Amino acid sequence: MSDLSTVIEVAGALSAAGGLGYAKARSPRVFWSLVGAPVARVRFSVTYRATMDVCGLTVQPSRLRAFMVRNVARRQEVQPVPPQVRRVRYSSTGMRATLRLPAGLEPADVSAASERLRHAWGVHSVHVVEVKPGFVELRMTGYDVLRRVKMPRRLPRNVTAGSLVVPVALREDGTAFVRDYQKVPHALTVGANQSGKSMYQRNLISGLAKLPVGLVGIDCKRGVEQRGYAPRLSALAITPDEADGLLEALVGEMEDRFDLLSAHGVPDMWGLPAKLRPVPLVVLVDEVAELFLVAAKKDEERRDRMVMRMIRLAQMARAVGIFLEVCGQRFGSDLGKGATALRAQLTGRVVHRVNDKQTAEMALGDIAPEAVFAATTIPPDRPGVAVAGDSSGGWSRIRTPAMTPAQAVAVCHEYAHLTPHLAALAPFRPAASTAPAPGSPLLKPRPATG
């Protein structure tokens, strides 16, 4: 009988261990919640002071503190002071600890020790974020959250109804990466073929389709990427000639909006009364190189016009609610006149896997030089992984969740009723079929435009 009970106990232990092993490999969120988080919390609590001391994150106490220790606590030895733990929180991806820095430490000191902290506490990664002067937050992830992307249920607090904030991808610290058009109005996305660039665009368009904004598409590859989004597009150009006319119409719309601002004496459209405020427009340019490259001398004048109009939009249109999303495989001075001037206005940068270091330097070298190496080491077996940065100098690794073209098209059809009609863009409004079916054309034959 005792032998049977022993066998049962051993079998139970092995099955439990096997279940935990399966959870760790196939469901890391479950494993982290059941095992990883409790172990990491105990390790963090027990070894915190010693770890901070070894990592050089302690400072000598102030004279007042030393006096209190010797004369009130009656201890002759005064210990160095580590950052004070103010709050510890858990999530399904890791845990966060808010620290108050003692005098003599700065956030950069803690960031420099993040790799040592990661190994000391046995977590996948440690990211340091400054919360406010004197306070930092350690964002610890228990596993590789970019392996299988699952967007957090709780989105950032600034994502509110009617805001121009779109969750697009997952950061490596487990938080959502968002496109905030009021903070970063224009952005550039680059990446090689099969790097996940189109996946990023699908997630972006699907998020924008649900907002009260107008979407304008420029896809000079005959619309192979953007035709399916026609029900949600206020305008679409699929050839360089159409793009030339559409950009001219957008500049005209911008100037009309500036006249409206001038008449009401406000600096931007957000200062207008809600009933007079024009609808925000997001211009989605797919493969921007097609606008720069010309096959014949006679096309150079058209190219120069288009580039100049895009530069004007990038320099001025933010105030009137027109935003640019420029996408391409490579974007540098080799494209021709105006490329560098346009790139300088695209303050948001998302760089997927690239074929050469120069492309990463073109996209990130002027805003976050430290991120160039990270962009060149993205493995080819992880499509959708990218490095995102902006003009503040900050950057992070992100990955977009998988989304098929059919899913993005379905979202555009579902929210087609939000598509605004703009008189200036009416000649470029695509004619979409009313009942799309899998494998069927999504657009009616397109009439030629002059």
Side-chain angles (χ1 to χ4, degrees):
M1 188 70 178
S2 60
D3 292 340
L4 179 60
S5 62
T6 301
V7 170
I8 294 175
E9 290 177 2
V10 171
L14 290 175
S15 62
L20 290 176
Y22 178 83
K24 185 176 182 179
R26 304 298 299 175
S27 184
R29 284 177 176 250
V30 174
F31 181 83
W32 168 256
S33 299
L34 294 177
V35 180
V39 171
R41 181 67 176 99
V42 171
R43 186 178 293 178
F44 176 81
S45 301
V46 172
T47 67
Y48 177 77
R49 176 177 283 274
T51 300
M52 290 289 158
D53 192 21
V54 170
C55 293
L57 297 178
T58 57
V59 298
Q60 291 301 317
S62 63
R63 292 182 179 179
L64 176 60
R65 183 183 180 91
F67 175 83
M68 296 294 291
V69 170
R70 291 192 181 99
N71 295 277
V72 177
R74 300 297 181 182
R75 294 201 308 264
Q76 293 302 315
E77 184 181 1
V78 181
Q79 297 288 339
V81 179
Q84 183 182 6
V85 180
R86 286 297 184 88
R87 185 182 183 187
V88 178
R89 292 174 293 166
Y90 299 94
S91 69
S92 60
T93 59
M95 66 180 187
R96 297 185 181 186
T98 303
L99 308 181
R100 187 183 188 281
L101 300 181
L105 282 183
E106 63 178 0
D109 299 325
V110 187
S111 297
S114 60
E115 192 67 13
R116 285 172 284 172
L117 297 176
R118 176 177 82 88
H119 287 286
W121 293 326
V123 294
H124 179 76
S125 65
V126 176
H127 301 273
V128 181
V129 179
E130 182 179 353
V131 179
K132 60 182 179 180
F135 290 83
V136 297
E137 185 177 72
L138 302 183
R139 295 180 178 176
M140 293 169 271
T141 56
Y143 57 93
D144 185 4
V145 297
L146 300 186
R147 183 182 176 189
R148 290 190 182 94
V149 177
K150 185 175 182 180
M151 294 295 287
R153 295 179 180 177
R154 183 177 299 177
L155 297 177
R157 295 178 181 177
N158 55 353
V159 180
T160 58
S163 65
L164 293 179
V165 181
V166 183
V168 183
L170 186 68
R171 294 182 187 271
E172 61 181 339
D173 63 1
T175 60
F177 169 74
V178 300
R179 277 290 287 119
D180 189 337
Y181 287 93
Q182 290 183 268
K183 292 182 178 179
V184 182
H186 312 302
L188 170 66
T189 303
V190 298
N193 285 325
Q194 302 298 315
S195 64
K197 192 168 71 269
S198 297
M199 194 84 68
Y200 177 88
Q201 293 292 313
R202 290 174 204 148
N203 280 274
L204 178 64
I205 291 172
S206 297
L208 287 169
K210 303 172 185 178
L211 301 180
V213 301
L215 302 181
V216 176
I218 298 178
D219 181 6
C220 291
K221 296 184 299 183
R222 294 300 187 269
V224 295
E225 291 286 347
Q226 297 183 356
R227 273 188 182 273
Y229 312 139
R232 190 59 183 85
L233 297 179
S234 296
L236 175 64
I238 62 173
T239 66
D241 286 331
E242 291 183 0
D244 185 23
L246 178 53
L247 288 170
E248 181 182 12
L250 286 169
V251 170
E253 175 71 13
M254 177 185 71
E255 293 173 346
D256 290 343
R257 294 187 178 198
F258 272 115
D259 290 340
L260 180 63
L261 299 186
S262 178
H264 289 80
V266 294
D268 57 44
M269 63 175 284
W270 312 109
L272 292 171
K275 63 180 180 180
L276 297 178
R277 191 177 305 153
V279 63
L281 291 176
V282 179
V283 183
L284 305 157
V285 182
D286 187 80
E287 199 50 67
V288 66
E290 292 297 317
L291 302 182
F292 281 84
L293 302 179
V294 294
K297 185 86 173 172
K298 60 186 175 106
D299 296 329
E300 291 183 358
E301 183 179 351
R302 181 193 63 202
R303 188 268 311 275
D304 293 342
R305 286 197 308 268
M306 289 193 294
V307 173
M308 185 57 62
R309 287 164 182 163
M310 288 189 66
I311 293 174
R312 289 192 64 193
L313 290 170
Q315 288 178 334
M316 304 168 57
R318 177 205 62 81
V320 294
I322 300 178
F323 311 103
L324 295 181
E325 283 286 345
V326 178
C327 183
Q329 294 185 36
R330 181 180 172 88
F331 191 54
S333 57
D334 54 339
L335 287 181
K337 184 174 65 176
T340 303
L342 176 59
R343 186 184 65 198
Q345 300 296 327
L346 306 176
T347 52
R349 309 288 173 83
V350 176
V351 181
H352 294 77
R353 179 178 54 82
V354 293
N355 291 326
D356 57 277
K357 182 181 178 182
Q358 288 72 27
T359 301
E361 290 176 340
M362 288 175 186
L364 295 170
D366 57 335
I367 62 166
E370 303 85 2
V372 173
F373 177 75
T376 58
T377 56
I378 297 174
D381 60 344
R382 280 202 168 188
V385 173
V387 173
D390 56 50
S391 56
S392 67
W395 63 276
S396 63
R397 291 181 183 85
I398 64 172
R399 192 177 190 184
T400 49
M403 175 174 287
T404 65
Q407 290 173 322
V409 168
V411 172
C412 289
H413 277 272
E414 181 180 357
Y415 292 92
H417 62 282
L418 296 180
T419 305
H421 176 78
L422 300 171
L425 306 182
F428 305 93
R429 179 75 179 265
S433 60
T434 56
S440 65
L442 291 171
L443 290 180
K444 296 177 181 177
R446 182 185 179 86
T449 57

